[in-house]
């Protein structure tokens, strides 16, 4: 058996598969910050992290957003998109406890929803930790064309840029 040849063929096949997958994604024109339908559930040690919830759910919907799936009936939908860095992402917070999740809960309550004139409210989150402002701009340029309608885009930016500035010894 030619082990080096087999390893080379496997590497070539892997590289060809990757290039083919990238071509398919590029041809579709779809860009997602998070992989649609991805799910991460983390069990946290309460002794090590006593102020955090013991179960953290980080669930991505079909739109590539952290958040619930959109309602099938979108008539009267008030749609919010959150973008930014780690403070908006809330990676170690359970989905409903993150501020975008809490915002969705508040806006879904009767008086708030009525004030918005909405039947449904959805808050999707495309924030990523340690993403500088110029990258968030690129993300939005690529993601926004996929959206039929957004009522509000919330940006929480700047901390990653401040961290980068300090890492560069505050030029």
């Amino acid at each position: 058996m030619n082990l080096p040849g087999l390893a080379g063929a496997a590497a070539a096949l892997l590289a060809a598969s990757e290039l083919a997958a990238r071509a398919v994604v590029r041809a579709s024109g779809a860009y997602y910050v998070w992989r649609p339908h991805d799910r991460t559930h983390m069990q946290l040690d309460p002794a090590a992290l006593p102020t955090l919830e013991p179960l953290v759910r980080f669930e991505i919907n079909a739109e590539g957003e952290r958040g619930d799936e959109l309602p099938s009936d979108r008539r009267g939908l008030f749609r919010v998109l959150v973008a930014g860095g780690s403070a908006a992402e809330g990676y170690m917070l359970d989905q409903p406890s993150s501020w975008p999740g809490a915002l969705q809960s508040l806006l879904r309550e009767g008086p708030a929803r009525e004030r918005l004139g909405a039947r449904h409210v959805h808050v999707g989150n495309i924030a990523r930790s340690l993403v500088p402002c110029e990258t968030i701009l690129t993300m939005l340029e690529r993601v926004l064309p996929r959206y039929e309608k957004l009522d509000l885009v919330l940006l929480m930016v700047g901390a990653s840029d401040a961290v980068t500035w300090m890492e560069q010894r505050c030029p």
Side-chain angles (χ1 to χ4, degrees):
M1 182 184 334
N2 182 358
L3 206 51
L6 190 59
L13 180 63
L14 183 63
S17 299
E18 174 69 19
L19 291 173
R22 288 178 185 223
V24 168
V25 168
R26 205 172 290 120
S28 74
Y31 176 87
Y32 298 95
V33 175
W34 296 104
R35 187 174 54 223
H37 306 291
D38 201 18
R39 301 276 184 268
T40 300
H41 290 190
M42 297 174 274
Q43 296 285 338
L44 302 182
D45 181 359
L49 300 164
T51 61
L52 297 179
E53 295 166 281
L55 174 64
V56 174
R57 293 166 291 162
F58 198 96
E59 300 177 346
I60 309 303
N61 64 22
E63 302 288 319
E65 309 162 336
R66 183 179 188 194
D68 298 341
E69 291 295 339
L70 280 116
S72 55
D73 179 8
R74 296 187 187 168
R75 291 176 297 183
L77 174 64
F78 188 87
R79 191 159 182 192
V80 179
L81 182 67
V82 174
S86 58
E89 178 188 47
Y91 186 76
M92 293 297 287
L93 298 174
D94 192 32
Q95 202 141 305
S97 301
S98 68
W99 73 259
L103 175 64
Q104 178 174 273
S105 294
L106 288 171
L107 293 178
R108 282 183 172 174
E109 290 177 2
R113 196 179 70 249
E114 289 171 16
R115 200 163 183 189
L116 294 171
R119 290 177 60 207
H120 309 285
V121 174
H122 179 270
V123 177
N125 185 353
I126 60 168
R128 295 287 301 242
S129 293
L130 294 175
V131 173
C133 289
E134 61 268 8
T135 303
I136 294 169
L137 175 62
T138 301
M139 288 167 35
L140 290 170
E141 287 172 344
R142 292 181 178 176
V143 167
L144 290 178
R146 287 192 301 104
Y147 289 90
E148 185 177 310
K149 174 186 172 275
L150 286 170
D151 296 290
L152 180 63
V153 176
L154 292 173
L155 300 174
M156 188 171 190
V157 299
S160 296
D161 292 297
V163 168
T164 301
W165 182 66
M166 289 186 288
E167 286 174 342
Q168 295 171 353
R169 303 218 174 267
C170 308

